[in-house]
mmCIF file of all heavy atoms in Angstrom:
data_model
loop_
_atom_site.group_PDB
_atom_site.id
_atom_site.type_symbol
_atom_site.label_atom_id
_atom_site.label_comp_id
_atom_site.label_asym_id
_atom_site.label_seq_id
_atom_site.Cartn_x
_atom_site.Cartn_y
_atom_site.Cartn_z
ATOM 1 N N MET Q 204 178.067 86.777 -79.712
ATOM 2 C CA MET Q 204 178.829 85.954 -78.785
ATOM 3 C C MET Q 204 178.738 86.499 -77.372
ATOM 4 O O MET Q 204 178.566 85.751 -76.415
ATOM 5 C CB MET Q 204 180.287 85.912 -79.236
ATOM 6 C CG MET Q 204 180.967 84.627 -78.945
ATOM 7 S SD MET Q 204 182.579 84.593 -79.724
ATOM 8 C CE MET Q 204 183.398 85.837 -78.788
ATOM 9 N N PHE Q 205 178.823 87.808 -77.246
ATOM 10 C CA PHE Q 205 178.793 88.416 -75.931
ATOM 11 C C PHE Q 205 177.415 88.263 -75.288
ATOM 12 O O PHE Q 205 177.305 87.951 -74.100
ATOM 13 C CB PHE Q 205 179.174 89.902 -76.026
ATOM 14 C CG PHE Q 205 179.209 90.597 -74.703
ATOM 15 C CD1 PHE Q 205 180.227 90.325 -73.798
ATOM 16 C CD2 PHE Q 205 178.210 91.489 -74.339
ATOM 17 C CE1 PHE Q 205 180.256 90.941 -72.555
ATOM 18 C CE2 PHE Q 205 178.226 92.115 -73.101
ATOM 19 C CZ PHE Q 205 179.257 91.844 -72.210
ATOM 20 N N ILE Q 206 176.354 88.446 -76.076
ATOM 21 C CA ILE Q 206 174.998 88.321 -75.525
ATOM 22 C C ILE Q 206 174.737 86.870 -75.084
ATOM 23 O O ILE Q 206 174.178 86.631 -74.018
ATOM 24 C CB ILE Q 206 173.938 88.805 -76.546
ATOM 25 C CG1 ILE Q 206 174.099 90.314 -76.766
ATOM 26 C CG2 ILE Q 206 172.524 88.505 -76.054
ATOM 27 C CD1 ILE Q 206 173.305 90.871 -77.925
ATOM 28 N N VAL Q 207 175.186 85.905 -75.891
ATOM 29 C CA VAL Q 207 175.010 84.498 -75.499
ATOM 30 C C VAL Q 207 175.820 84.195 -74.230
ATOM 31 O O VAL Q 207 175.358 83.463 -73.358
ATOM 32 C CB VAL Q 207 175.398 83.529 -76.643
ATOM 33 C CG1 VAL Q 207 175.347 82.083 -76.175
ATOM 34 C CG2 VAL Q 207 174.480 83.721 -77.836
ATOM 35 N N LEU Q 208 176.995 84.820 -74.116
ATOM 36 C CA LEU Q 208 177.803 84.614 -72.903
ATOM 37 C C LEU Q 208 177.046 85.085 -71.659
ATOM 38 O O LEU Q 208 176.979 84.373 -70.656
ATOM 39 C CB LEU Q 208 179.140 85.362 -73.031
ATOM 40 C CG LEU Q 208 180.054 85.322 -71.801
ATOM 41 C CD1 LEU Q 208 180.491 83.894 -71.491
ATOM 42 C CD2 LEU Q 208 181.284 86.191 -72.011
ATOM 43 N N VAL Q 209 176.437 86.281 -71.743
ATOM 44 C CA VAL Q 209 175.671 86.791 -70.602
ATOM 45 C C VAL Q 209 174.469 85.882 -70.339
ATOM 46 O O VAL Q 209 174.140 85.578 -69.186
ATOM 47 C CB VAL Q 209 175.227 88.259 -70.843
ATOM 48 C CG1 VAL Q 209 174.401 88.769 -69.666
ATOM 49 C CG2 VAL Q 209 176.437 89.155 -71.051
ATOM 50 N N ALA Q 210 173.828 85.397 -71.424
ATOM 51 C CA ALA Q 210 172.689 84.487 -71.266
ATOM 52 C C ALA Q 210 173.120 83.213 -70.539
ATOM 53 O O ALA Q 210 172.428 82.733 -69.643
ATOM 54 C CB ALA Q 210 172.098 84.141 -72.635
ATOM 55 N N CYS Q 211 174.269 82.664 -70.923
ATOM 56 C CA CYS Q 211 174.796 81.460 -70.264
ATOM 57 C C CYS Q 211 175.075 81.743 -68.793
ATOM 58 O O CYS Q 211 174.843 80.896 -67.933
ATOM 59 C CB CYS Q 211 176.106 80.999 -70.920
ATOM 60 S SG CYS Q 211 175.881 80.219 -72.507
ATOM 61 N N TRP Q 212 175.562 82.933 -68.535
ATOM 62 C CA TRP Q 212 175.901 83.327 -67.183
ATOM 63 C C TRP Q 212 174.641 83.334 -66.316
ATOM 64 O O TRP Q 212 174.605 82.758 -65.228
ATOM 65 C CB TRP Q 212 176.543 84.711 -67.251
ATOM 66 C CG TRP Q 212 177.411 85.054 -66.108
ATOM 67 C CD1 TRP Q 212 178.355 84.256 -65.522
ATOM 68 C CD2 TRP Q 212 177.412 86.286 -65.389
ATOM 69 N NE1 TRP Q 212 178.948 84.930 -64.497
ATOM 70 C CE2 TRP Q 212 178.394 86.176 -64.394
ATOM 71 C CE3 TRP Q 212 176.689 87.478 -65.508
ATOM 72 C CZ2 TRP Q 212 178.669 87.220 -63.501
ATOM 73 C CZ3 TRP Q 212 176.976 88.507 -64.622
ATOM 74 C CH2 TRP Q 212 177.952 88.376 -63.644
ATOM 75 N N PHE Q 213 173.569 83.971 -66.823
ATOM 76 C CA PHE Q 213 172.300 84.024 -66.089
ATOM 77 C C PHE Q 213 171.703 82.626 -65.945
ATOM 78 O O PHE Q 213 171.135 82.281 -64.915
ATOM 79 C CB PHE Q 213 171.308 84.962 -66.792
ATOM 80 C CG PHE Q 213 171.626 86.420 -66.608
ATOM 81 C CD1 PHE Q 213 170.856 87.397 -67.214
ATOM 82 C CD2 PHE Q 213 172.690 86.822 -65.814
ATOM 83 C CE1 PHE Q 213 171.136 88.752 -67.045
ATOM 84 C CE2 PHE Q 213 172.992 88.170 -65.633
ATOM 85 C CZ PHE Q 213 172.208 89.134 -66.257
ATOM 86 N N TYR Q 214 171.839 81.828 -67.006
ATOM 87 C CA TYR Q 214 171.337 80.452 -66.946
ATOM 88 C C TYR Q 214 172.028 79.700 -65.814
ATOM 89 O O TYR Q 214 171.389 79.047 -64.988
ATOM 90 C CB TYR Q 214 171.588 79.744 -68.286
ATOM 91 C CG TYR Q 214 171.406 78.246 -68.214
ATOM 92 C CD1 TYR Q 214 170.144 77.673 -68.366
ATOM 93 C CD2 TYR Q 214 172.483 77.400 -67.941
ATOM 94 C CE1 TYR Q 214 169.974 76.307 -68.258
ATOM 95 C CE2 TYR Q 214 172.315 76.036 -67.835
ATOM 96 C CZ TYR Q 214 171.063 75.501 -67.997
ATOM 97 O OH TYR Q 214 170.885 74.140 -67.872
ATOM 98 N N ALA Q 215 173.368 79.809 -65.772
ATOM 99 C CA ALA Q 215 174.146 79.103 -64.758
ATOM 100 C C ALA Q 215 173.745 79.559 -63.355
ATOM 101 O O ALA Q 215 173.602 78.739 -62.444
ATOM 102 C CB ALA Q 215 175.639 79.327 -64.987
ATOM 103 N N ILE Q 216 173.534 80.874 -63.202
ATOM 104 C CA ILE Q 216 173.128 81.398 -61.890
ATOM 105 C C ILE Q 216 171.770 80.803 -61.505
ATOM 106 O O ILE Q 216 171.584 80.321 -60.388
ATOM 107 C CB ILE Q 216 173.053 82.945 -61.902
ATOM 108 C CG1 ILE Q 216 174.467 83.530 -62.081
ATOM 109 C CG2 ILE Q 216 172.431 83.468 -60.626
ATOM 110 C CD1 ILE Q 216 174.494 85.052 -62.262
ATOM 111 N N ALA Q 217 170.822 80.810 -62.446
ATOM 112 C CA ALA Q 217 169.475 80.304 -62.151
ATOM 113 C C ALA Q 217 169.501 78.829 -61.748
ATOM 114 O O ALA Q 217 168.915 78.453 -60.727
ATOM 115 C CB ALA Q 217 168.545 80.521 -63.345
ATOM 116 N N VAL Q 218 170.189 77.980 -62.509
ATOM 117 C CA VAL Q 218 170.183 76.544 -62.163
ATOM 118 C C VAL Q 218 170.997 76.268 -60.898
ATOM 119 O O VAL Q 218 170.581 75.470 -60.056
ATOM 120 C CB VAL Q 218 170.640 75.598 -63.303
ATOM 121 C CG1 VAL Q 218 169.576 75.464 -64.365
ATOM 122 C CG2 VAL Q 218 171.962 75.987 -63.880
ATOM 123 N N ALA Q 219 172.133 76.951 -60.745
ATOM 124 C CA ALA Q 219 172.965 76.689 -59.563
ATOM 125 C C ALA Q 219 172.246 77.148 -58.291
ATOM 126 O O ALA Q 219 172.311 76.469 -57.267
ATOM 127 C CB ALA Q 219 174.320 77.377 -59.684
ATOM 128 N N LEU Q 220 171.537 78.272 -58.368
ATOM 129 C CA LEU Q 220 170.812 78.740 -57.186
ATOM 130 C C LEU Q 220 169.640 77.816 -56.853
ATOM 131 O O LEU Q 220 169.360 77.550 -55.692
ATOM 132 C CB LEU Q 220 170.324 80.188 -57.375
ATOM 133 C CG LEU Q 220 171.399 81.269 -57.345
ATOM 134 C CD1 LEU Q 220 170.777 82.663 -57.427
ATOM 135 C CD2 LEU Q 220 172.262 81.187 -56.096
ATOM 136 N N THR Q 221 168.958 77.318 -57.893
ATOM 137 C CA THR Q 221 167.872 76.371 -57.633
ATOM 138 C C THR Q 221 168.439 75.111 -56.977
ATOM 139 O O THR Q 221 167.863 74.560 -56.042
ATOM 140 C CB THR Q 221 167.152 75.989 -58.942
ATOM 141 O OG1 THR Q 221 166.790 77.182 -59.614
ATOM 142 C CG2 THR Q 221 165.899 75.172 -58.665
ATOM 143 N N ARG Q 222 169.600 74.672 -57.477
ATOM 144 C CA ARG Q 222 170.218 73.472 -56.923
ATOM 145 C C ARG Q 222 170.660 73.710 -55.478
ATOM 146 O O ARG Q 222 170.452 72.858 -54.616
ATOM 147 C CB ARG Q 222 171.418 73.067 -57.785
ATOM 148 C CG ARG Q 222 171.920 71.668 -57.484
ATOM 149 C CD ARG Q 222 173.065 71.266 -58.389
ATOM 150 N NE ARG Q 222 172.669 70.939 -59.746
ATOM 151 C CZ ARG Q 222 173.085 71.572 -60.831
ATOM 152 N NH1 ARG Q 222 173.912 72.584 -60.734
ATOM 153 N NH2 ARG Q 222 172.690 71.177 -62.008
ATOM 154 N N VAL Q 223 171.224 74.878 -55.205
ATOM 155 C CA VAL Q 223 171.718 75.131 -53.847
ATOM 156 C C VAL Q 223 170.565 75.228 -52.856
ATOM 157 O O VAL Q 223 170.711 74.878 -51.686
ATOM 158 C CB VAL Q 223 172.630 76.390 -53.788
ATOM 159 C CG1 VAL Q 223 171.856 77.669 -53.608
ATOM 160 C CG2 VAL Q 223 173.647 76.234 -52.665
ATOM 161 N N ARG Q 224 169.390 75.654 -53.322
ATOM 162 C CA ARG Q 224 168.234 75.698 -52.412
ATOM 163 C C ARG Q 224 167.885 74.300 -51.921
ATOM 164 O O ARG Q 224 167.566 74.108 -50.744
ATOM 165 C CB ARG Q 224 167.014 76.312 -53.113
ATOM 166 C CG ARG Q 224 167.154 77.791 -53.361
ATOM 167 C CD ARG Q 224 165.884 78.356 -53.928
ATOM 168 N NE ARG Q 224 165.067 78.957 -52.883
ATOM 169 C CZ ARG Q 224 163.744 78.985 -52.897
ATOM 170 N NH1 ARG Q 224 163.079 78.430 -53.880
ATOM 171 N NH2 ARG Q 224 163.088 79.566 -51.917
ATOM 172 N N SER Q 225 167.958 73.307 -52.823
ATOM 173 C CA SER Q 225 167.687 71.929 -52.397
ATOM 174 C C SER Q 225 168.770 71.452 -51.437
ATOM 175 O O SER Q 225 168.478 70.775 -50.450
ATOM 176 C CB SER Q 225 167.634 70.991 -53.596
ATOM 177 O OG SER Q 225 166.617 71.395 -54.479
ATOM 178 N N ILE Q 226 170.032 71.800 -51.742
ATOM 179 C CA ILE Q 226 171.137 71.378 -50.872
ATOM 180 C C ILE Q 226 170.979 71.997 -49.481
ATOM 181 O O ILE Q 226 171.167 71.330 -48.462
ATOM 182 C CB ILE Q 226 172.503 71.767 -51.500
ATOM 183 C CG1 ILE Q 226 172.691 71.055 -52.845
ATOM 184 C CG2 ILE Q 226 173.653 71.424 -50.559
ATOM 185 C CD1 ILE Q 226 173.940 71.459 -53.607
ATOM 186 N N ILE Q 227 170.584 73.294 -49.438
ATOM 187 C CA ILE Q 227 170.378 73.956 -48.142
ATOM 188 C C ILE Q 227 169.302 73.222 -47.345
ATOM 189 O O ILE Q 227 169.492 72.895 -46.177
ATOM 190 C CB ILE Q 227 169.982 75.448 -48.332
ATOM 191 C CG1 ILE Q 227 171.166 76.254 -48.897
ATOM 192 C CG2 ILE Q 227 169.525 76.060 -47.010
ATOM 193 C CD1 ILE Q 227 170.817 77.695 -49.270
#
Side-chain angles (χ1 to χ4, degrees):
Chain Q
M204 213 172 67
F205 182 72
I206 294 169
V207 174
L208 176 63
V209 179
C211 286
W212 203 45
F213 285 178
Y214 166 85
I216 293 174
V218 286
L220 288 185
T221 308
R222 193 177 285 119
V223 86
R224 289 185 97 212
S225 300
I226 298 175
I227 292 173

